Amino acid sequence: MRGLLLFLLTVSVILAQSFEDFQRRLEDVKSLKVVFVQKVQYPWQSKPDVSKGTFYAQRGGRFRIEYEQPENTLIVSDGMQVMVYVPKDRTAFLDRIERNSSPVVEALFLVSRPLSEVFELVGEIDGSKGRTFILKPKVRDDYFSKVLVEVSPRGDIRSIRVEEKSGTNTTIEFLNVSTNFTPSETLFRVKVPEGARVIRP
């Protein structure tokens, strides 16, 4: 029994140290650019919906998502408001960011909250391409129930799988990552394109 307890304690320490290393890497990120593939699996569909695009983020809640496939869509936030613009329809949806906030998203994608503040590490899987952290939100989040973060041996994120309470699972594969770049002044600016129809809640 004592040997088993020592083994479990050792595993816990290893998990904590590796997770702490990962947290420290994220804490050093001030800005982020990711080329990604997103796969959304709905409970009522056999095949996932696949999207491709580029994601930018900067501490303070500023972000920009440029979807290129299956159709062009722009989502941008300056940290106070968020705009979703669909060029095909020339329609811009505007809303306040606090109405669309999530601790899970802020910690993992916007690097605006410490991981240890938002998540509890409940497991870890070693694979041929790196490790996968299994995280459970320990703060209230109306959308998400569990997150799996796959990291390379260097500690870089390879993919994030988010499991929603509704049964929908979203996997985001990181194809190309740049960190701590200097964004342009207009990258996170919320500006409605000329001639677009504006919809507010």
Side-chain angles (χ1 to χ4, degrees), residues 22 34 36-37 108-109 129 131-133 147-152 156-162 170-175 177:
F22 177 59
V34 179
F36 68 88
V37 173
L108 280 175
F109 298 102
K129 296 182 180 179
R131 290 178 175 168
T132 298
F133 297 113
V147 177
L148 287 81
V149 181
E150 181 187 7
V151 298
S152 70
D156 300 322
I157 298 177
R158 298 176 59 89
S159 70
I160 296 176
R161 173 186 165 117
V162 180
T170 300
T171 301
I172 300 174
E173 299 174 4
F174 288 42
L175 303 182
V177 180

Side-chain angles (χ1 to χ4, degrees), residues 40-42 142-146 161-170:
V40 182
Q41 183 67 64
Y42 297 101
D142 295 331
Y143 307 102
F144 306 118
S145 60
K146 187 165 55 176
R161 173 186 165 117
V162 180
E163 299 184 1
E164 298 184 28
K165 295 175 181 178
S166 64
T168 298
N169 296 326
T170 300

Side-chain angles (χ1 to χ4, degrees), residues 36 38 49-54 65-75 84-93:
F36 68 88
Q38 174 181 296
D49 288 347
V50 180
S51 306
K52 298 180 180 179
T54 305
I65 308 173
E66 299 173 355
Y67 283 102
E68 300 164 2
Q69 296 178 19
E71 64 179 22
N72 290 339
T73 302
L74 171 66
I75 305 174
V84 179
Y85 176 62
V86 183
K88 184 179 69 174
D89 301 331
R90 295 197 60 78
T91 302
F93 300 88

Side-chain angles (χ1 to χ4, degrees), residues 26 29-30 32 59 105-113:
L26 285 188
V29 175
K30 308 304 179 188
L32 179 69
R59 286 193 182 276
V105 171
E106 290 176 19
L108 280 175
F109 298 102
L110 306 186
V111 293
S112 296
R113 298 183 67 168

